[in-house]
Amino acid sequence: QVQLVESGGGVVQAGGSLRLSCIASRYSTERLWMAWFRQAPGKKREGVAVVFSGGSTFYADSVKGRFSISWEKGKNTMFLQMNSLKPEDTGMYYCADGREYYLGLLPPERDVENWGEGTQVTVSS
């Protein structure tokens, strides 16, 4: 079983930046995509960004132009560069991967193969 471990969360003021990392315990030829989800207090978990093995990326409208996802396959590591952070970006951020195509821009939770345990991001106003 693959383990995904996130890091890089923390407390930052609005307008600041953070870079999240996700390291997979092993390489998998079956891994088609990697993604970041987040869950704000009292809200459902939502997809934030996804990167496919071919390099395509997609973002939630709420983060488009501010966040950038990347995947260094040789290092089994995925990143999420978050700039111009807003208080509404506060939440637990989860790393995930999958091996199936899905309908829509961002993967549904049911198609996630592995989850990380999450890293907390808090943006103060």
Side-chain angles (χ1 to χ4, degrees):
Q1 187 170 349
V2 175
Q3 288 185 323
L4 303 177
V5 180
E6 304 95 336
S7 62
V11 180
V12 64
Q13 287 190 329
S17 298
L18 284 174
R19 189 188 195 208
L20 305 184
S21 300
C22 170
I23 299 177
S25 58
R26 62 177 176 85
Y27 178 79
S28 171
T29 57
E30 297 178 318
R31 187 175 291 129
L32 178 63
W33 49 265
M34 296 194 76
W36 289 96
F37 290 75
R38 70 183 179 189
Q39 186 168 22
K43 294 189 176 180
K44 291 177 58 177
R45 187 158 50 186
E46 62 176 357
V48 174
V50 64
V51 55
F52 282 81
S53 58
S56 298
T57 58
F58 299 97
Y59 298 89
D61 288 343
S62 58
V63 306
K64 204 173 294 182
R66 300 187 296 121
F67 290 12
S68 178
I69 189 171
S70 58
W71 180 6
E72 293 187 15
K73 284 183 278 186
K75 297 181 180 180
N76 295 333
T77 305
M78 177 181 62
F79 302 97
L80 185 69
Q81 178 65 44
M82 306 187 296
N83 299 325
S84 302
L85 282 162
K86 304 176 180 179
E88 51 263 44
D89 294 318
T90 293
M92 187 69 78
Y93 282 69
Y94 298 91
C95 170
D97 70 358
R99 55 183 181 180
E100 302 286 344
Y101 286 102
Y102 53 85
L103 293 176
L105 295 179
L106 295 171
E109 291 192 31
R110 65 176 178 271
D111 286 344
V112 170
E113 191 74 17
N114 300 289
W115 289 100
E117 293 190 351
T119 185
Q120 178 69 35
V121 171
T122 302
V123 184
S124 61
S125 57

